[in-house]
């Protein structure tokens, strides 16, 4: 098969700082909401590697949900409460990847502030509050904008690569053991009969159903991708979601998408392609931790990378 024009983009999450919160059923839900913020990390580091010819990576953005916060108490007794019970008071943020700092974040009053990639996950919430995963807003969405003056009609392949050199401590797990992957294009996010949202509002979050709320551009992207990922069937994927877990032997790579026809678009010589890679927790793999008899946070070590390939011919 023809391989001319193939180029690989690799995104590697570096530090072991994503956490999901695990508590026993006998602990009041408010305890988790009060203390979860203390466990959040101060921003992961990433490395982006691109080699080859044919296209360029213009930028990478992170979409994530930000819950509102409030301070309870004063002085030394003050602590921060994350309002997980009121997601309608939160918002979706869009954060640029900084190639020099190897982080996602933003400038706030001339000061760089990195952000954590994924929100905390609490399996007890699915029991106590009877929420579904989509309602917890844990997922992270990577928006990758690719430009090319050589490609128009071509094929996309996206793999998740296991970083076998990663290590973990006794109180940690590998993120690859509890994570799902999906990838979407701008066409997947289109409204109307030719898209995935024939009614135009399937993705609208339930907690806004009683509150008049016009979604921002960032919220529209986040909720559309989250909704598509929540569906049972995933087109252009071998499984409902691509993942490393479940087999007798852990694979060194998994196909998130393989030989998908795509089109670079634009009126100028340099055309663009925009992709959305969704990463979310796998409830089936994390629920086994819900029976923990004491409160603790388990760190999940980033041990995977993404490799993006674009080719004028299909890949073997």
């Amino acid at each position: 098969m023809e391989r001319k024009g193939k180029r690989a983009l690799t995104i590697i999450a570096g530090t072991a700082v994503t956490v999901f919160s695990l508590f026993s059923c006998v602990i009041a839900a408010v305890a988790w909401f009060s203390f979860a913020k203390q466990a959040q990390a101060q921003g992961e580091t990433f490395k982006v590697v691109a080699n080859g010819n044919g296209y360029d990576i213009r930028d990478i953005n992170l979409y994530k949900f930000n819950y509102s916060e409030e301070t309870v108490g004063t002085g030394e007794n003050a602590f921060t409460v994350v309002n997980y019970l009121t997601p309608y008071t939160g918002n979706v943020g869009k954060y640029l990847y900084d190639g020099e700092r190897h982080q996602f974040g933003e400038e706030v009053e001339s000061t760089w502030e990195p952000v954590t990639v994924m929100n905390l996950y609490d399996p007890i919430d699915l029991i106590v509050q009877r929420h579904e995963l989509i309602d917890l807003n844990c997922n992270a969405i990577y928006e990758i904008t690719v430009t090319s003056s050589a490609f128009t009609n071509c094929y996309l392949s996206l793999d998740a690569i296991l970083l076998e050199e990663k290590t973990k401590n006794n109180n940690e797990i590998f993120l690859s053991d509890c994570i799902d992957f999906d990838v979407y294009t701008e066409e997947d996010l289109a409204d109307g009969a030719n898209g995935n949202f024939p009614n135009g509002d399937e993705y609208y979050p339930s907690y806004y159903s009683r509150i008049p709320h016009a979604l921002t551009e960032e919220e529209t992207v986040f909720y559309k991708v989250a909704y598509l990922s929540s569906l049972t069937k995933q087109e252009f994927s071998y499984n409902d979601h691509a993942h490393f877990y479940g087999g007798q032997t852990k694979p060194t790579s998994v196909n998130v998408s393989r030989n998908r026809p795509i089109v670079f678009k634009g009126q100028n010589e340099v055309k663009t392609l925009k992709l959305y890679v969704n990463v979310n927790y796998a409830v089936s793999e994390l629920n086994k931790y819900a029976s923990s008899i004491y409160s603790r946070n388990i760190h999940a070590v980033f041990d995977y990378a993404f490799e993006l390939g674009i080719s004028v011919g299909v890949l073997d």
Side-chain angles (χ1 to χ4, degrees):
M1 296 294 180
E2 187 176 10
R3 294 176 178 269
K4 183 177 64 175
K6 180 178 181 293
R7 185 182 184 186
L9 163 72
T10 303
I11 305 174
I12 301 172
T15 54
V17 290
T18 288
V19 295
F20 53 90
S21 184
L22 305 172
F23 287 89
S24 169
C25 292
V26 300
I27 296 177
V30 68
W32 182 77
F33 297 134
S34 297
F35 295 107
K37 179 61 180 177
Q38 300 176 18
Q40 290 193 21
Q42 299 303 312
E44 292 89 349
T45 59
F46 287 75
K47 182 182 294 183
V48 176
V49 181
N51 299 296
N53 298 306
Y55 64 86
D56 293 307
I57 307 302
R58 191 179 71 188
D59 53 51
I60 302 174
N61 292 295
L62 168 72
Y63 291 78
K64 64 163 295 188
F65 190 88
N66 299 312
Y67 285 94
S68 63
E69 303 174 357
E70 61 180 291
T71 300
V72 177
T74 59
E76 295 181 354
N77 296 322
F79 61 94
T80 300
V81 175
V82 183
N83 296 322
Y84 292 101
L85 291 175
T86 60
Y88 48 84
T89 62
N91 64 77
V92 174
K94 180 180 179 180
Y95 304 96
L96 178 68
Y97 172 75
D98 186 295
E100 294 183 357
R101 296 183 176 92
H102 305 299
Q103 292 178 325
F104 291 97
E106 61 183 349
E107 293 282 349
V108 178
E109 297 181 351
S110 301
T111 300
W112 173 258
E113 292 191 1
V115 297
T116 55
V117 171
M118 297 180 72
N119 288 330
L120 295 169
Y121 170 84
D122 182 19
I124 300 305
D125 185 81
L126 300 178
I127 301 172
V128 177
Q129 302 295 328
R130 297 188 181 278
H131 288 149
E132 295 185 4
L133 182 64
I134 189 174
D135 297 320
L136 302 183
N137 298 314
C138 298
N139 58 308
I141 300 169
Y142 300 98
E143 177 189 70
I144 304 172
T145 302
V146 188
T147 61
S148 178
S149 58
F151 289 130
T152 301
N153 295 289
C154 45
Y155 295 91
L156 165 72
S157 291
L158 180 71
D159 295 324
I161 310 297
L162 189 66
L163 302 178
E164 298 180 273
E165 70 276 11
K166 289 287 185 176
T167 60
K168 63 181 179 67
N169 298 322
N170 292 334
N171 64 335
E172 297 175 330
I173 67 172
F174 286 124
L175 197 55
S176 61
D177 289 333
C178 59
I179 214 79
D180 288 329
F181 309 102
D182 300 291
V183 60
Y184 305 99
T185 66
E186 282 188 295
E187 288 74 19
D188 294 326
L189 273 59
D191 291 329
N194 294 326
N196 289 304
F197 313 99
N199 297 325
D201 61 356
E202 288 88 345
Y203 57 91
Y204 199 79
S206 58
Y207 43 79
Y208 286 139
S209 61
R210 299 179 182 179
I211 303 174
H213 180 83
L215 298 183
T216 65
E217 181 179 344
E218 290 79 12
E219 288 174 330
T220 300
V221 169
F222 180 86
Y223 289 125
K224 281 187 172 183
V225 172
Y227 170 77
L228 291 178
S229 181
S230 72
L231 301 179
T232 305
K233 297 296 182 182
Q234 296 296 328
E235 193 174 9
F236 306 111
S237 240
Y238 289 132
N239 306 304
D240 286 348
H241 305 279
H243 55 262
F244 288 98
Y245 58 84
Q248 292 183 344
T249 303
K250 194 172 185 179
T252 57
S253 67
V254 293
N255 298 133
V256 183
S257 184
R258 191 71 170 172
N259 293 327
R260 174 173 182 172
I262 54 172
V263 180
F264 280 81
K265 295 182 178 180
Q267 301 300 319
N268 301 322
E269 179 182 355
V270 178
K271 296 178 173 56
T272 62
L273 170 70
K274 192 168 288 187
L275 304 171
Y276 300 92
V277 182
N278 186 74
V279 181
N280 206 355
Y281 297 116
V283 174
S284 62
E285 303 306 303
L286 292 181
N287 279 348
K288 56 191 176 185
Y289 296 102
S291 60
S292 175
I293 61 174
Y294 57 92
S295 63
R296 61 192 177 112
N297 289 314
I298 292 182
H299 289 248
V301 178
F302 274 97
D303 65 329
Y304 66 87
F306 294 120
E307 186 173 81
L308 172 68
I310 294 178
S311 176
V312 295
V314 297
L315 303 175
D316 295 335

